[in-house]
């Protein structure tokens, strides 16, 4: 409210001084930009609860995907050592058979 009460005397003073057109255009442009800024802030404030809930849902979905990926990775790492042990056993048996044949 104080801003509006200060703007009215300012506008009266500007009009009594007979400003040139460029100055009036500059004041009008500044006022229009300020008005649009206020409108955008009001719209953002009104819509923020809706966007916050959608962000939470998106974050929960991302966390669920990460957990699933980690579980899949854990399963892969558990099965890979078993395959590696089988592969090592095969190599070891081949090496032993080669040694027997060589001696």
């Amino acid at each position: 409210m104080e801003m509006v009460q200060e703007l009215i005397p300012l506008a009266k003073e500007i009009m009594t001084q007979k400003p040139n057109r460029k100055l009036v255009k500059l004041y009008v442009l500044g006022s229009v930009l300020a008005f649009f800024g206020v409108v955008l802030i009001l719209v953002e404030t009104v819509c923020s609860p809706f966007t916050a809930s959608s962000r939470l849902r998106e974050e929960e979905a991302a966390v669920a995907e990460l957990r699933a990926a980690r579980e899949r990775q854990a399963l892969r790492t558990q099965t890979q050592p078993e395959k590696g042990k089988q592969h090592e056993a095969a190599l070891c048996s081949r090496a032993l058979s080669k040694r027997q044949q060589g001696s």
Side-chain angles (χ1 to χ4, degrees):
M1 277 313 265
E2 292 177 10
M3 292 291 286
V4 174
Q5 292 172 353
E6 293 173 3
L7 287 177
I8 293 172
L10 178 66
K12 286 181 181 178
E13 185 180 332
I14 290 172
M15 295 308 283
T16 59
Q17 292 180 1
K18 304 283 184 190
N20 59 10
R21 286 186 170 191
K22 289 183 181 180
L23 193 57
V24 172
K25 286 180 183 179
L26 186 65
Y27 284 133
V28 170
L29 178 65
S31 301
V32 169
L33 290 175
F35 177 74
F36 282 136
V38 169
V39 169
L40 287 173
I41 289 173
L42 287 174
V43 169
E44 183 180 351
T45 303
V46 170
C47 296
S48 67
F50 303 113
T51 57
S53 63
S54 66
R55 286 183 193 153
L56 286 175
R57 279 187 251 130
E58 290 173 0
E59 288 177 8
E60 289 173 357
V63 168
E65 287 180 28
L66 286 173
R67 286 183 184 159
R70 286 181 182 166
E71 288 177 4
R72 281 182 266 153
Q73 184 68 22
L75 288 174
R76 285 183 194 151
T77 56
Q78 288 174 357
T79 57
Q80 285 178 351
E82 293 172 2
K83 290 179 182 177
K85 288 179 184 176
Q86 292 172 354
H87 184 65
E88 287 177 12
L91 289 176
C92 194
S93 65
R94 287 183 193 160
L96 289 175
S97 65
K98 288 181 181 179
R99 284 185 186 169
Q100 290 173 356
Q101 291 171 358
S103 55

